[in-house]
Structure formats: structure tokens, C-alpha cells
Amino acid sequence: MGTSVMGNNIDAAENLPDYPELKQLLGRTTLPGHELIELLHAAQQQYGHLDQPLLGQIARSLKLPESLVYGVASFYHAFRLEPPGRTRCAVCTGTSCHIKGGTRLLEQLQQLLDPACGGSSGDSRLSLESVRCLGACGMAPLVRIEQSSTPARLYSQMTPDLTLNLLQSAMEGGLPPGEALAPVRLLGPASQRIVLANCGAIDPDSLASARAAGAYTALEQSLRRMSPDQVCGQIRDSGLRGRGGGGYPTGLKWELVRSAPGKRKFVVANGDEGDPGAFMDRTLMELDPHRVLEGMAIAGFATGADHGFIYVRGEYPLAARRLRAAIAEAESAACLGRNIFGTPFTFQVRVRIGAGAFVCGEETALMASIMGRRGQPVIRPPYPAQHGLWGRPTLINNVETFGCVAPIILKGAAWFSSIGTPGNNGTKVFSISGDVTVAGVVEVPLGTPLRQILEMAGGVTGGDFKAAQTGGASGGCITAEHLDIPVDYDSLTGLGTIMGSGGMIIINDRRCMVDLARFFMRFCQSESCGKCTPCRAGTEQALRLLDALCSGEADLEQLERLEELCHLMRETSLCGLGMAAPNPVLSTLRWFRQEYLDHLRNGHCPAGVCRRGAAPCRD
Amino acid sequence: MPRLKLSIDGIPVSAGPGATILQAARANGIDIATLCHLKGLIPAGACRICIVEVAGGRRPVPACATRAESGMVITTASERLQAARRQIVELLLAERNHQCPVCVMNNNCELQAVARRFGIDHVRYGFIAPTLTVDISHERFGLDHNRCILCRRCVRVCDQVEGAHTWDVRARGTASRIISDLARPWGESGSCTGCGKCVQACPTGALFEKDVQGTRKGTLCLEKLLEWRRRRTR
């Protein structure tokens, strides 16, 4: 209100609590205003949660509008606006955890403990929340318990009783030691590994160990003996395609950024592995951080960029820590930073931590998030290659794509393109979990039959093979009759699914596909940014229809309505999240339509998974 | 630069360089329905009502946010597009409480007009319509979340024209709400200048003037306002 603007501010300033540490946290930022998310992370760590006075103080310090700061803080699930309980229990709701009972575990705990989902119990001793896939799918169903005094611990194969016992002992101060970190198992023959070649073989905390395994030789070779055009040419000729799911030719992207006008350009590595049930990128970033950094630096040299950002999912603290340490060590050894290897080339990398938003895997939302804003996609064109971070040409690739770069430079494009199938060159890393004997990560040449990949994980457990879900919430399923298809970009598209980033969930015949489709729709509904109507309102309506199906209250007309909605979302959504949100439904409808029909009114769930009248938690 | 030549619904039209498909269509008497679009604001392309088909394109594009190009062949009213638009309007009508007879904007509402234009006489989706708050803490204006369609015209006009950035959006997905400052009551806002542009920009009854006989909404012409401002600063 016009008359009281000044008065309000002065009154507010007098009543403000003091945040002396904030000044110190602010001092660390170099791009004030654009490091809002970094500052929110730091402030939350310092003060436990972000209350209104604190957010107001942050807004004033960064000279940002208050509503913008509040909008950002409330957009990301990682930020707590309310004080959490002293003991925080998080149940993983990734795909593997879901099919092994994680969602039901959460429901049961809610009934037993009765704090509202995502909230804390009245006495603030305990808070129960759901958490997005922690990338520890071998431990499903997984529970993470955090106390202010101790770091987060993970507990595998949980049941309500076991969890209650854990919480009891946690509140009495005697939490049994769980896993501090989720171990990753590398499966399949080591000889086929290209991206993960050094993973497990080197010490990820030591540059010397990585250098001994050949790290940064490709970068040195590019800088000393090749021109940027030659590097771009090598990548183009190798036939490398984007490993994040799009499958866009990487060389083409690099050339677009290279030829885009502008002095200042950026390279971004997308490590926001948000798909539930995917942990390939986590494996690479944790076990061989230098490989990603080297790929980014080579890309910087080839495209003319001198700054890079690596966006790491907030759920992967170890990956972020190792990357930060790796950058510092590489800079001190002139492998990164100013005048790399004594050449004029300079390339600085910064780590950006995500804050729990799946939509930030979409490139325009990712850039908004790097610039400290709500992760809302914007309309393309213009594409990031022309108009990216701060309006400058920006190259965005998945971390696994960057992981392929150094071997291509060292061994040549011809070598790389000899691996895989025509048009689908090289290898692909898959994370395989769900109903398998051993969950883990495999790297195989593109075109390897699904059956072989399944065998590397020790085959199906708990029943017969029913389907493999690929591409996560944006993908679809492969049925038993297609077990022998070569797994590559084109053949999976032909089956109505996508390769996606490489998450692969094996499902046995005791699981319900309608329930799985509902699980993914619930995921998309809670991850939708809310900007465009088809995705915001469409996922909500589709979820309600799927809820009705699962509780046996839907009729044929509602099934038709669901299909119609799926087509609307696919055709008219603004970004990839909304366009792909209906894929799991459409794919399961294509291959398992009978299961949907069985679920209609007066019907039943053939797998016995869906319960009548169950009201699931909506996160 | 030469003018662009393209075809919209079979009619050859020309447009100035840099024009959007929507501008090209409207300048030539072809009307495309819009909701989140407001002349003078940076297009958001969020509501998806104005989607059109471009020959050779895989998916429909929003006319408000897509640049016209020479040689484009555009369809604005195919059966497929009309069906999608109807679905989108139905989704909006089902999302919040849009009971026209008891709304301050009855007969002045853009959502209502669009629904009428597409001949929507019933909604096939379940009504979600959660009971939301109404903020009448401001001296002259009110905010009824129950009528909000999240077009963000208020957010954009406050930021891009008034420069106050009082409004933003809280949370995400269906939980999204328009907020002022730190999600505080509007009347306590320290940044709001009380200019009322947001109220004028709102297409529905979400933002309204209090104690006014009949609504005075919808009288704002941003283009004239911007022109006036340019003249003044020159």
C-alpha cells in the first residue's frame, strides 16, 4: 500500500531476529542474487529450517523481492519451511522401493505415528517424510534416519516393525549403525566398460590415482595437438548421442554452441538424476569424478566456453563432496582452472546442488535452477545453444555423455563407432534393480539384448519375468516377448518406451501394472512445476482416475477419460515432463490392457496388490 | 527487414519481423482464444489455450509465444485443436471453484468467455475445487484463490510493468498459489504500491476490487500504458 511502504519496512526491521552467521554465509557467494539456492542450502544447514524472518533477511541481503525468495524456497522439496522433528525418518519412494512395499510402509508408518505426510508430529520429536529415490535400489525398501547429532543413516529391507524399533532406539539415543552410504555394485564384464572403466579401480579422492589411470591425458592431448574444430569433429564422427535420454547427436550440439555468436559461453553437466530407480550418474560422479570434469573441460575447449557448472542432485551428497574435492585438487595441479597445462585455455567448474525437483532435469528448468530461480521450464526456441545461462550460448549434456568424451579423444571416433549397433554407437550404463537377484550398474554396448543384461543381474526373483520398466517416469515397459530385442535408442522407441537415462526396473509376475502406472503418475503429479495447465491439472485428474481404478471404483468411461487425458498431456504440455508423464500409462495400457479391464468396477486386481478404498499419501 | 509471408487457416497473411503467430493472426482478423496472454507482457505460453498447428511440426505450438516465420502454414481451428482446447478449459473449470453466478466477474470473465466460445456446457472431469482462502486484508482489493487459474498475469504485470514484484507463486503443481511477499496477507505487503494493475490484469474473479458497484476490471490497456511511460522517459 502506497502510504505505508516505508513504515512497514521500518517496523519489520526493528522486530527482526538477528542472523549473525548469515553475513558469513553471504560472504562466500560470488554471484549474489543468482546463488539464492546455494544460500538457502547453507542457511538451512545453519538454522535447521527456513522461517519467514530468515527468508526476509535473505531477500534483503541479496536485494531480491521477498515473494521471489519465498517462491524459490517453497518450490524445492529439499527446503524446510517448518521446523523438523529432532529425529527425521524418510521412507524412500523410488520405483524399486515402491514395488517392494515402500509406499505401503510409508502409509503404515503414517497410521502408526500419525504425523501428516511431510509434516512433523506435534511434539517435534519425530518427523516422517517421503523421499525421492536415493539411488540405493538394492536396499529396497529403504529408510533413512537423520538426527541433528548424527549424519544420515540408511537401513535396508525395512518393515513397519523394524522401522518402529529403529525410531524407538533413535529417540532413546541409541540408533544402531546402518549404512552411511549406499554401496553400488558393478555388474557384468569389466572389459566392456568405457565410461565406468576407472570406477572401483581408482581412489576417487585422489587425483594421482586418477592420473595414473589416464585422467586428463585426453584433455592435454586436445589442448596441445588439436584444434577445437578437430575435437568437435571427433565427437561428431564417433556418433555419440546424448545419454540423458534424448539421444540427440552430441557432436551436433557441440557445433551449434561452437558456432553460436558470443564471447562468453557455458558448459553444463546435468547430474540431476531424478528418475526414480536410476543411479548410473551417481555411480560415475562418486567413483570417477575426474572423468566428468575432464569431459566438461574438453567440451569447453571445443565450444569456446570458459565456465562450467555441474548440477548434482541434492540427494547425492557424496557425489557433490567428491566433485568439489576433485575440482580443487585438479585446479591446484593445473588440470583445470587457469592456464590448464600451461596453455592459454582456462576452464572453471562450479558445483551446483539441486534441491529436490525432478523437473530440473529438463534443460530450461535446470538453467533456471542454476541461476537461483524456481525450476520452471520456459518455451523453446530459443534453445540453450543460442540463449542459455544468462542469455549466453550454453552446452548442456548429461554427465554420462561427458564420461564418454575422454575415451573418444584418446582412442578415436572410429573405435567408438565400431561398438554398438548402427546409429547407436558406444556403450550405455544401466542401473538395474527391482525383482532381480543383485541390483547394480552395468555398462554394455548399445544393442545388447535385454536378456543378457538381466542375466548379469542374476535373473528374476520372486516369480517369473513380467516386464522391464525403462526410462523411469517418462518411459514404458518391455514385455517378456521382447526379451531378446537389442536395447538401443531406436528399438526401444519402436516398442513405445524410451531408453531414458538408463534406469531399468525388473518386474515379476506378482506385481500389478496398474499400480505401477499409478505410482509413476503420482510421481509426475507431485513433480509437476504447475506452470502449464495440461501437466498441472492433467496429472492430478489422471491420478484421481488411476486411484479410482486401483480401488475398483472406475468404469469403462473413466478409462476412456484417462486415455484421452494422456493424449492431451502428450500433445500440449509445455515441457518434457508433462509430455512424457502419460507414457507409463499408455505403455502399460498397450501391453497389459486386460489388467486395466480387470480393475474396473466389480472386478479385481489380478496380482492382489491394489486394495479397495486405499487412500495413498500424496506427498 | 522484409515482411513475413505465411498462411493462417488458408488465408495468406503478412506480418512484421519478430511478430508472434498470435500477432500475425490477430492483425489479419483471425482470432485465437487466449488466457494467460496479455498484450504488453512477456508471453508465458502456460495455459496452452492458444495452441495452433504448424504444418510439418510434430506437436501443436502456443501461438502467443512462437515467432511467425515466412512460409509457415498454420491451422488454428482443426478438430484436434478444438478438442484439446475444450479439454484444457474443462481441466481449468474442474481445478478450482468456478461457480459463475456467485462470482464478481460473472459476464466479464475471460475463462467464462472462452468456455462459452468453445460451447462447453458440462465438465467431464471430477471437480477438485478445494476450499481455499480469500485474502481481503488489502484496503481496496481482494484475492480469491478459489477463482485463480494460475495464469500469472498478475505476477508478470507486477514485475514487468510496475517493477514491484509483490506477487510470485508458492510451491508447485496443484499446490501452487499466488503469494504476496513472504506469503503474508496482501494488506501487510511492504512492496505493494497499491497500483491495481494486477487486478486489472486478472482474467477471472481471483483479483477483485472491493466495494465497487459492478466491476471496473478489464479496462487496462498495457500497450497504451507502456507507450505513455516511454513518452514520459524520453
Side-chain angles (χ1 to χ4, degrees), chain A residues 1-2 5 8-9 52 55-56 65-68 70-71 74-77 356-358 374 376 379 381 525-534 536-538 540-541 544 561 564-565 568-574 579, chain B residues 44-48 51 59-60 62 65 80 84 87-88 91-92 94-95 124-128 138-139 149-150 152 165-174 176 179-184 187-190 192-194:
Chain A
M1 282 155 65
V5 170
N8 270 359
N9 279 351
Q52 280 188 358
L55 289 173
E66 287 184 339
S67 58
L68 186 149
Y70 194 91
S74 59
F75 180 87
Y76 295 98
H77 283 172
F358 172 63
R374 290 166 61 89
Q376 283 178 177
I379 287 177
Q525 185 264 352
S526 69
E527 292 297 335
S528 164
C529 82
K531 182 172 177 180
C532 76
T533 320
R536 182 186 70 235
E540 172 72 23
Q541 291 285 358
R544 283 170 181 244
R561 198 97 314 127
E564 201 185 84
L565 260 179
L568 177 80
M569 283 189 259
R570 182 181 263 191
E571 292 253 293
T572 63
S573 292
L574 194 159
M579 283 182 229
Chain B
C47 73
R48 317 305 279 182
I51 46 169
R59 291 163 12 95
R80 178 179 112 166
Q87 262 179 294
I88 293 169
L91 284 174
L92 285 172
E95 190 179 20
R124 295 164 302 160
Y125 303 110
F127 284 97
I128 300 167
H138 194 279
E139 199 180 349
I149 57 167
L150 293 168
R152 294 140 209 250
H165 204 120
T166 299
W167 299 114
D168 210 306
V169 181
R170 184 191 83 186
R172 67 189 188 204
T174 41
S176 302
I179 51 161
S180 57
D181 289 359
L182 294 169
R184 303 289 305 151
E188 294 174 17
S189 166
C192 176
T193 61

Side-chain angles (χ1 to χ4, degrees), chain A residues 138-143 154-159 162 179:
Chain A
M139 300 167 77
L142 177 74
V143 167
L154 305 175
Y155 298 90
S156 59
Q157 278 94 34
M158 278 289 120
T159 62
L162 285 173
E179 304 276 351

